[in-house]
């Protein structure tokens, strides 16, 4: 049974709004408004324990999931939400061994998710024009122990990714249409890509460019997620919800021009 | 470059409503209302080609993605949609090497997705009370080349899964509250589970049972997905959308009772 | 108690998909796949009766509501849905005595709703460039007995409505930005207007024009409505829903330019 | 042209989050963080003017709409939102001359909307078990000048409304199923009612009771509204939205039992 070490990330959980992601070695005593929790005393314990603060409040000490980790990372910059990441993963089919290209790196949240899924034999190539952003992302990926599955590159993806035979691509930049050609050149024939754009205008312009570049199965979606407060006799949706994060556009490369002859009929 | 073989599944794609998932060995000539496509002539070609039917209509020959395959499988019985599968994957953190338990097997669509993600070193244990359903699922998983990563079991999960130290669990049965104890016994401490329930009443009853069994971080969500028709100067959401598939409930096991002593304070 | 006459519209109702809006004088015997219903035998009866067809199926004979009538009218052309009309009514504050301007007339569904609300002392001025459309709308409004509260005008609203001191305005044309100045000239100072546009591009362009023309409190909304299937122990949202009808943009005229002096400070 | 009087309610508007609903006689000088606005200097001016604060900030002085007034009233207690009120108005067909029954009165926001629509010849009968609530509502309705169209009654609607031949009914209480029989007794045959319930459990129980009492055309809906931020080249939905207010259930009375004979066939 896996036990907590000083190096372990632990999720100290009270409810969805009150939770802390910390390591005993970084935060020996966790000070909260619910009291102090002695994290060093948890070392050697298995995950999943209930623990009591100095004020007598009961917290649960969970092993962080992938989602806990990436949502924590996301705080710094633009967020991609699990609802959106989930659809991307399923539609891109990213899994162990996949070689994926991504730009921009941002906080490394998407990078980390992709790295987590391609391990141990795959690789995520992530590009960002901003070296400082990427330094933060690199640290985040290291913390999650995923550095072996990520190749960080500082540079402008509009000039090309400089790699080929890629299984799937992710675009999360303000002007994704400028990178569509680079993406096309790097992806295997028929390989899928995804792009994340907050505005309708960006989605419109991106789709237009993807059509021009011969992409097939182009689709744009938006996903809304709403929490349900399920409790006996009082079940109802949550009063507030996220109204919008981004539009997700998908497509697959084709070998246009090549097959127009009459060999296949 | 990967080329089409007689055994390859190919997705013959015109648009999102007109597409066919076939193998050249099964369907040498694909008859559609758009004309006939000679699939045998595609053997040896790379994926991503444009091909012309006997009526002159242009189709694209794509390599099916994971989503194409599982959506095809889903047709037979109850469907779990990519929007829902995606959130489950991210929240459960399923990846290469994970050991996952699932009930019921259904058409094997979720099973196949999980198997795809846990390969090559993980395992999906899937239980169904109905041997006929599972026979169909087994065939579906075989077609996708994922049999090595799935252990099929016919039986009633309410009596226990008979396995331990599991990383993540999925419940997709009509009375999931009856299987919560079995799930708890099989999951590692702090490990996450997901359950899929169409009605509010099921979600309510399930959450109540999970609370009683000491699960933490219990959350219920519903996801809505809407297609956006992005085209220059005429961008608008699609007129029709899926209104509801299922509520998704998540939670993590805890070691309740054990940690109530004063060792941790 | 109000009883059915040969001239009465009656809503013969089985369920939300099987219902008929007819008059005994037009359809003495209603033939349905559930059997024949003798409508003449209903004359003299109060509304709300259960009636049995020749095949023994039980139907309910309801007095049509405003919504039943306008949804019936809407079938012919572009539809504005009750969800959208409702928000418009509340935000425009249309009520007895209001003077309202509208373009285009379309099928007259919105016209009829507005007329219904402004009676007996108000007036709806409705403009359409297409005389044939308006002829249909005129007939629809007559059928509902609302002709006294509608002034039909054939013409291009871009050239001005030719009326002033209007309480509220509704734009339902493809290029509403072209009519914003006419609207502004007709509305009372501070009076509200609403516009209905299917695409994001139209909403964007309209809002820009309204800003230029000094409108205040400009807001754009979209409304989604989902049916809930509430039944004991099996409550769940409907599987399908309308994904999109239109964006609704609201704003109020201001007296810009006039008040910029220092009289008010 | 209507001008501002000391008694006029004015909506001082900056943007949708910064707006004030005041009367010059109550607030001669409006103090805001944007500066002070001398409201007395506005008396005699028409509505719609731009006015400048002492800090040089420009505000717009609008005539409040019905929505402005009822949203202001709603602040005190439970809110019914315009999105929900709008659908109710259209589905109930409330208009000049309608006689409407409502319970509970709450803050009087719905009461005021209904009174506004039934004037000058209709009447809203509103019941509340809590005399203090109703005193607040009465004051709110008076402020809006709608007292002539509302009859306030303190009492338990479960015992019956004590009035008949009503055109439409609204239930906004925690246990609406307890009032369904009273509603049925007061409504005209075939007349519509609406009920507002926050939870799925309430909707489920209400619908069951309405079925038992022979209501026809029973439907439950939920309405979601999302603001669109329409601006040139940057159009996108608002980041946050209201996730849930209430389920709306509608139905119409029938004359069950009466028509079961063979007179109508």
């Amino acid at each position: 049974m896996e036990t907590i070490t000083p190096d372990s990330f632990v999720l100290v959980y009270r409810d969805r709004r009150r939770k802390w992601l910390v390591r005993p070695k970084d935060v020996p005593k966790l000070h909260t408004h619910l009291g102090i929790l002695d994290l060093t005393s948890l070392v050697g314990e298995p995950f999943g324990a209930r623990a009591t603060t100095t004020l007598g409040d009961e917290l649960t000490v969970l092993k962080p999931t992938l989602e806990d980790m990436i949502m924590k990372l996301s705080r710094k910059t633009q967020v991609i939400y699990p609802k959106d990441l989930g659809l991307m993963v399923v539609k891109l089919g990213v899994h162990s061994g996949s070689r994926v290209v991504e730009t921009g790196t941002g906080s490394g949240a998407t990078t980390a998710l992709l790295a987590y899924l391609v391990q141990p034999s795959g690789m995520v190539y992530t590009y960002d024009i901003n070296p400082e952003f990427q330094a933060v992302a690199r640290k985040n990926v290291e913390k999650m122990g995923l550095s072996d599955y990520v190749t960080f590159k500082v540079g402008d993806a509009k000039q090309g990714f400089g790699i080929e035979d890629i299984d799937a691509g992710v675009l999360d930049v303000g002007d994704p249409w400028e990178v569509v050609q680079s993406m096309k050149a790097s992806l295997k024939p028929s390989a899928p890509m995804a792009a994340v754009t907050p505005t309708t205008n960006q989605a419109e312009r991106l789709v237009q460019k993807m059509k021009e570049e011969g992409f097939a199965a182009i689709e744009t979606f938006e996903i809304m997620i709403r929490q349900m407060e399920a409790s006996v006799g009082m079940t109802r949706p949550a009063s507030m919800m996220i109204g919008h994060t981004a539009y997700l556009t998908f497509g697959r490369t084709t070998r246009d021009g090549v097959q127009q002859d009459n060999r296949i009929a």
Side-chain angles (χ1 to χ4, degrees), chain A:
Chain A
M1 190 177 282
E2 190 179 2
T3 56
I4 298 170
T5 71
D7 276 339
S8 304
F9 280 98
V10 297
L11 182 76
V12 179
Y13 186 91
R14 173 59 188 276
D15 56 40
R16 72 182 147 116
R17 284 197 184 78
R18 291 177 293 180
K19 52 188 180 185
W20 300 264
L21 185 61
V22 287
R23 284 190 289 197
K25 76 167 181 188
D26 300 332
V27 183
K29 287 183 192 299
L30 177 67
H31 290 250
T32 81
H33 61 291
L34 303 168
I36 300 167
L37 189 69
D38 182 356
L39 291 181
T40 54
S41 76
L42 292 172
V43 172
E45 292 289 322
F47 284 101
R50 298 269 165 74
T52 308
T53 69
T54 51
L55 294 179
D57 209 86
E58 194 181 75
L59 304 172
T60 308
V61 181
L62 297 168
K63 182 174 177 185
T65 61
L66 171 66
E67 186 200 12
D68 295 326
M69 297 297 288
I70 62 176
M71 285 309 285
K72 190 74 184 175
L73 300 186
S74 298
R75 295 286 149 71
K76 302 284 165 58
T77 59
Q78 190 76 1
V79 177
I80 303 190
Y81 281 83
K83 67 181 178 77
D84 297 324
L85 289 169
L87 189 70
M88 276 171 46
V89 164
V90 171
K91 288 189 89 80
L92 296 182
V94 174
H95 71 305
S96 180
S98 295
R99 297 175 70 239
V100 185
V101 71
E102 175 203 32
T103 185
T105 307
S107 63
T110 309
T111 316
L113 170 68
L114 295 171
Y116 182 84
L117 290 170
V118 306
Q119 65 179 308
S121 55
M123 182 58 66
V124 179
Y125 302 89
T126 185
Y127 294 71
D128 208 297
I129 207 164
N130 183 328
E132 285 166 42
F133 266 26
Q134 217 172 46
V136 172
R138 188 187 290 267
K139 204 167 290 178
N140 282 332
V141 168
E142 266 167 27
K143 271 189 196 163
M144 293 177 65
L146 294 167
S147 296
D148 287 353
Y149 321 114
V150 181
T151 303
F152 288 93
K153 301 207 178 182
V154 173
D156 186 354
K158 293 169 201 171
Q159 311 304 323
F161 288 108
I163 45 171
E164 289 190 345
D165 214 30
I166 294 296
D167 295 302
V170 175
L171 294 182
D172 184 12
V173 292
D175 51 356
W177 50 86
E178 300 285 354
V179 197
V180 164
Q181 281 181 315
S182 302
M183 184 58 84
K184 185 183 171 186
S186 284
L187 288 173
K188 286 180 183 170
S190 188
M193 62 158 277
V196 179
T197 56
T199 73
T200 59
N201 312 80
Q202 288 168 308
E204 185 176 311
R205 195 160 167 190
L206 169 63
V207 164
Q208 179 60 17
K209 182 66 176 175
M210 288 172 69
K211 282 178 188 167
E212 287 167 18
E213 294 295 328
F215 279 74
I218 302 171
E219 295 175 311
T220 301
F221 296 98
E222 65 174 325
I223 295 184
M224 283 165 273
I225 188 168
R226 188 167 65 160
Q227 189 145 13
M228 211 54 195
E229 290 165 5
S231 72
V232 177
M234 295 165 52
T235 295
R236 46 164 289 165
S239 296
M240 293 302 300
M241 65 182 277
I242 303 290
H244 180 68
T245 53
Y247 296 104
L248 302 177
T249 297
F250 300 93
R252 308 185 204 175
T253 58
T254 60
R255 296 171 51 247
D256 53 347
V258 177
Q259 218 59 29
Q260 308 289 9
D261 63 9
N262 53 12
R263 248 208 349 258
I264 294 171

